[in-house]
Amino acid sequence: MNKQQPVPAQPSSSPADVPAGASHQQLVEVIERVLHDRLSEHLNEVEQRMAETVRTAVDSGRRGLDRAVEVCTPAWLRPTAGEPRWPAAIAVVAAIGLQLSVPGRLAIRPQWLLPVLEAAILALLIVANPGRISARHPWVRRLGLILVGVATLANAYSAGHLILNLVHGREGESAAALLTIGGAVWLTNIIVFALWYWEFDRGGPAARAHATYPNPDFQFAQMAAADGTYRDWEPSFVDYLYLSFTNAAAFSPTDTLPMTPWAKLLMLTQSCVSLATVALVIARAVNIL
């Protein structure tokens, strides 16, 4: 009589599911399978937790690195909110007033034409950037350059005719009137060149707000401070106005150095205009007195 062979047990998920008559080998296989399943579950859970922890640590480290880079990078090299427009706007209004104070014989006729044009362009620029200058619209950039160009044309005409009249003796009957005219032309010259420096340095105020160009055209004294004292400093219109004034008064750079050829040529042109105006006006006024 043939002895009946035991039926092999099917795989189970728990040792309790093993039939009572199962062999030792089957029991071992079931235990191994259960341990493998449980261990896989635990490993997957540990892996997910470790991945989440690593991801959090990486994100935190990246934020910390970005913060460290921001802290170490000076304001003039990183994107900022942009400078306010009102200092430049006040300077343009002052230049318009100085142009209107010049006698009509030294101005482009009609005398009100260019000042009115400058005021209209200034109004459009204020509407485009009423607060801080940060919007980078091509037409805003062109309007700003046109405004400075018109102001330059008006003052160059007045300065040229004043110098020619002084050379030919057709100007300067009164020392006080001559000094007033010469002072108006000289001050307008300072404002106009300050606007040129402000508009051209590193692409203009909007480009500087976005830190588009890292290489400066003018190196201010604050840029050379390596101890972080001026970490939050960035050039504004007042800095370019001071640069223009010192260049017009000293006929050379003082605490700010021109770094590019156009900056050097522009400062050279301003010094020549200022020197000719001041020298001739003062000389003629002294002669009258």
Side-chain angles (χ1 to χ4, degrees):
M1 182 176 181
N2 295 331
K3 188 177 179 180
Q4 186 177 2
Q5 298 294 331
V7 180
Q10 297 297 324
S12 58
S13 60
S14 174
D17 297 333
V18 180
S23 64
H24 176 74
Q25 181 64 29
Q26 291 176 326
L27 181 60
V28 171
E29 290 178 359
V30 172
I31 294 175
E32 288 179 350
R33 189 178 301 113
V34 172
L35 291 176
H36 179 270
D37 294 341
R38 298 290 175 82
L39 184 60
S40 297
E41 292 177 2
H42 285 295
L43 287 177
N44 289 335
E45 184 179 354
V46 171
E47 197 174 295
Q48 292 176 359
R49 291 182 179 179
M50 290 183 63
E52 184 178 354
T53 302
V54 171
R55 191 182 304 110
T56 303
V58 170
D59 292 341
S60 178
R62 186 181 294 112
R63 289 193 297 269
L65 180 60
D66 294 341
R67 177 59 181 168
V69 172
E70 182 180 355
V71 169
C72 296
T73 304
W76 65 274
L77 280 177
R78 66 175 185 263
T80 58
E83 62 177 294
R85 179 174 290 280
W86 64 266
I90 292 177
V92 172
V93 172
I96 293 174
L98 290 171
Q99 291 170 11
L100 292 174
S101 68
V102 174
R105 63 180 180 277
L106 300 177
I108 297 178
R109 302 295 180 87
Q111 188 176 3
W112 55 265
L113 178 61
L114 293 185
V116 169
L117 181 59
E118 294 169 24
I121 297 176
L122 177 62
L124 292 176
L125 291 175
I126 293 176
V127 171
N129 289 116
R132 294 185 175 273
I133 305 175
S134 58
R136 300 181 62 185
H137 301 300
W139 66 271
V140 174
R141 171 74 170 159
R142 296 191 189 100
L143 278 180
L145 294 177
I146 291 174
L147 172 60
V148 183
V150 172
T152 302
L153 175 63
N155 193 62
Y157 185 91
S158 298
H161 277 69
L162 175 62
I163 292 173
L164 288 176
N165 289 346
L166 288 174
V167 171
H168 292 89
R170 296 193 297 266
E171 193 76 44
E173 296 180 357
S174 169
L178 178 60
L179 290 175
T180 301
I181 297 172
V185 172
W186 187 72
L187 290 175
T188 307
N189 180 62
I190 292 175
I191 296 174
V192 165
F193 277 93
L195 291 170
W196 280 122
Y197 301 149
W198 181 67
E199 284 285 359
F200 275 148
D201 186 25
R202 295 172 60 216
R208 289 194 297 272
H210 292 272
T212 305
Y213 305 104
N215 298 324
D217 297 287
F218 293 100
Q219 184 178 6
F220 293 89
Q222 292 87 340
M223 295 178 178
D227 57 355
T229 304
Y230 298 97
R231 182 179 58 83
D232 296 325
W233 176 90
E234 57 183 329
S236 61
F237 179 76
V238 175
D239 297 286
Y240 297 100
L241 182 62
Y242 177 77
L243 165 65
S244 181
F245 176 81
T246 55
N247 188 53
F251 313 118
S252 64
T254 54
D255 65 336
T256 303
L257 298 177
M259 305 299 291
T260 55
W262 77 259
K264 296 177 181 180
L265 290 175
L266 205 56
M267 293 186 69
L268 173 65
T269 303
Q270 182 191 12
S271 295
C272 291
V273 174
S274 179
L275 179 61
T277 303
V278 171
L280 290 175
V281 168
I282 293 179
R284 178 58 178 166
V286 169
N287 187 42
I288 295 174
L289 294 174

